[in-house]
């Protein structure tokens, strides 16, 4: 470990996916995850895809969720092909399995259906990565349940899925939940008088609120886990600035003519990191044995935009325990999903 808690970097040689993927500029080594079950929301794209790939290459059985059946099927077959093509993925045939499930986080019924199916066999869940997200939707848009799309998907959807999977998490030996936040949490405010942004909508303010809510949730989850003895390690991570579909999907939602400005910024040399590099903080958060509940990880380079994972800076607002308890209560009320009380 380096001074800021970052792991020692590993070179490209010895990488479990060597030969199947372009080498990263920096990397971390993952422990053997054989026998572990992981679930990554939004695993068909960007960081979720890369996170699922690395977890499976380290031996975990990984379920990716996708809201689009076709995108999910394509991603699952790409993941399986990459794992097969990687001669060192824990030795031929020893990489973990990739599974696919349908989940729309903007629809509470979809979340309930998914959780019922996924829980049917009663297998413990070792790792949940609350990764899916949508950013900077230009016009106020609602989920199927009438929530503002970013707050509804990024926060309430993950709150509900985590709550519904609690029985499986509680059954695991050392369960962990990683929730993706963002540098955008610094600009976020939890407006309890207008969480759904009915009165004043701004695309970035709504995204910032949802990402602050992700971090507040992760920290409150950790406090409750400690107080109630759940023994679930809840941590958060952010990917810095990474080239994914995030920069085009949300900002172009509802636009007849797509705008590509953010895409162009991510393409500037040296500005953004690749999705594979951007997945490292979440992977570190998911696997470092040194993580404590409530920790927040991100890239350790300039302005936390890129680099090896380390501890990330947290806005003071994200540490407000009163606001966290309030957000928790409102989220239970809005989703109808109750976490255990003891
Ligand atoms: N990229 C960055 O620089 C950056 C920076 C800070 C934080 N983050 C966070 O990182 C996470 C992953 O984003 P990414 O950059 O990998 O973006 P991405 O490539 O756009 O992937 C986002 C994933 O979320 C899924 N998703 C969106 N709405 C959903 C819904 N209603 N139900 C289920 N899944 C849904 C997407 O599905 P579709 O493919 O169907 O759209 C996709 O699989 C997000 O939480 C984001 O806020 C990213």
């Amino acid at each position: 470990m380096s001074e800021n808690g970052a792991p020692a970097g590993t070179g490209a040689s010895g990488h479990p996916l060597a030969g199947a993927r372009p080498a990263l500029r920096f990397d971390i080594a993952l422990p053997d995850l054989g026998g572990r079950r992981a679930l990554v929301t939004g695993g068909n794209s960007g960081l979720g895809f890369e996170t699922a790939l690395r977890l499976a290459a380290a031996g975990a059985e990984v379920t990716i969720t996708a809201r689009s059946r076709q995108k999910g099927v394509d991603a699952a077959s790409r993941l399986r092909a990459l794992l097969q093509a990687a001669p060192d993925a824990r030795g031929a045939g020893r990489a973990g399995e990739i599974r696919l499930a349908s989940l729309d986080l903007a629809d509470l019924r979809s979340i309930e259906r998914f959780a019922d199916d996924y829980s049917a066999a009663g297998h413990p869940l070792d790792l949940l990565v609350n990764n899916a997200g949508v950013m900077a939707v230009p016009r106020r848009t609602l989920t199927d349940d009438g929530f503002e799309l970013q707050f509804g998907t990024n926060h309430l959807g993950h709150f509900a899925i985590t709550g519904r999977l609690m029985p499986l998490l509680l059954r695991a030996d050392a369960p962990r939940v990683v929730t993706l936040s963002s540098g955008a949490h610094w600009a976020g405010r939890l407006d309890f008088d207008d969480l759904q942004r009915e009165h004043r909508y701004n695309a970035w303010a709504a995204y910032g609120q949802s990402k602050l809510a992700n971090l507040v949730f992760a920290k409150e989850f950790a406090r409750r886990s400690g107080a109630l003895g759940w023994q679930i390690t809840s941590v958060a991570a952010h990917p810095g600035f990474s080239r994914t579909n995030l920069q085009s999907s949300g900002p172009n939602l509802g636009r007849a003519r797509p705008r590509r400005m953010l895409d162009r910024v991510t393409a500037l040399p040296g500005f953004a990191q690749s999705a594979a590099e951007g997945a490292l903080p979440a992977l570190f958060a998911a696997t470092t044995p040194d993580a404590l509940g409530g920790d927040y990880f991100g890239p350790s380079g300039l302005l936390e935009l890129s680099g090896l994972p380390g501890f990330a800076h947290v806005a003071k607002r994200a540490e407000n325990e009163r606001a966290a308890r309030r957000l928790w209560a409102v989220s239970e009320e809005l989703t109808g999903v109750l976490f255990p009380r003891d």
Side-chain angles (χ1 to χ4, degrees):
M1 299 274 279
S2 71
E3 253 176 33
N4 67 352
T10 62
S13 63
H15 190 287
L17 292 160
R21 315 245 43 215
L24 307 188
R25 291 174 301 166
F26 43 83
D27 203 356
I28 62 170
L30 263 54
D32 184 347
L33 298 176
R36 313 270 292 167
R37 277 179 97 224
L39 177 66
V40 181
T41 65
N44 64 282
S45 176
L47 307 169
F49 181 93
E50 299 294 337
T51 302
L53 179 61
R54 292 295 298 273
L55 293 174
E61 177 201 300
V62 183
T63 299
I64 59 164
T65 74
R67 58 180 165 164
S68 145
R69 176 83 199 147
Q70 195 49 54
K71 283 189 193 175
V73 169
D74 290 349
S77 63
R78 272 187 295 131
L79 284 167
R80 290 179 190 127
L82 281 166
L83 290 165
Q84 281 230 317
D88 293 336
R90 298 187 63 245
R94 286 203 293 142
E97 227 179 290
I98 294 286
R99 296 177 182 215
L100 170 65
S102 197
L103 170 66
D104 184 350
L105 288 158
D107 177 357
L108 290 173
R109 280 168 315 167
S110 168
I111 293 171
E112 186 175 2
R113 261 197 312 274
F114 162 79
D116 286 349
D117 288 354
Y118 188 78
S119 306
H123 297 310
L125 174 59
D126 299 290
L127 172 65
L128 168 62
V129 185
N130 286 327
N131 161 82
V134 58
M135 175 180 85
V137 177
R139 292 218 174 83
R140 184 171 178 268
T141 307
L142 301 183
T143 67
D144 284 21
D145 307 288
F147 307 135
E148 186 281 317
L149 188 64
Q150 291 157 99
F151 188 67
T153 306
N154 302 354
H155 169 62
L156 290 175
H158 283 122
F159 181 90
I161 196 69
T162 308
R164 289 202 177 274
L165 295 177
M166 280 297 281
L168 301 187
L169 288 164
L170 288 167
R171 234 167 266 168
D173 280 343
R176 195 172 290 196
V177 176
V178 179
T179 300
L180 270 284
S181 181
S182 164
H185 90 270
W186 284 87
R189 281 190 169 58
L190 297 173
D191 183 352
F192 285 106
D193 294 328
D194 192 18
L195 281 173
Q196 310 303 338
R197 303 279 158 167
E198 272 177 82
H199 302 300
R200 209 158 50 143
Y201 182 77
N202 170 284
W204 287 104
Y207 180 65
Q209 172 176 261
S210 75
K211 290 286 122 181
L212 175 61
N214 284 145
L215 187 48
V216 168
F217 162 70
K219 286 177 168 285
E220 178 64 13
F221 190 174
R223 283 188 289 271
R224 286 179 191 233
S225 180
L228 297 170
W230 296 339
Q231 315 245 5
I232 300 172
T233 304
S234 165
V235 291
H238 81 88
F241 191 26
S242 309
R243 281 184 297 279
T244 66
N245 287 328
L246 194 75
Q247 292 86 18
S248 57
S249 55
N252 284 314
L253 207 69
R255 281 195 206 281
R257 296 178 60 203
R259 293 196 184 161
R260 296 279 171 226
M261 202 186 75
L262 274 173
D263 285 335
R264 286 194 202 109
V265 176
T266 59
L268 291 175
F271 210 65
Q273 53 185 357
S274 69
E277 290 161 349
L280 297 179
L283 287 163
F284 185 59
T287 57
T288 176
D290 301 324
L292 296 176
D295 279 350
Y296 181 43
F297 301 97
S300 53
L302 183 69
L303 300 174
E304 297 182 6
L305 291 177
S306 65
L308 271 172
F311 289 115
H313 290 90
V314 178
K316 213 169 152 206
R317 239 176 261 130
E319 307 279 17
N320 183 332
E321 295 188 21
R322 230 176 71 178
R325 286 194 295 275
R326 190 168 175 194
L327 178 69
W328 196 277
V330 172
S331 303
E332 285 195 332
E333 194 181 310
L334 291 173
T335 61
V337 175
L338 305 182
F339 280 67
R341 295 282 195 262
D342 51 27

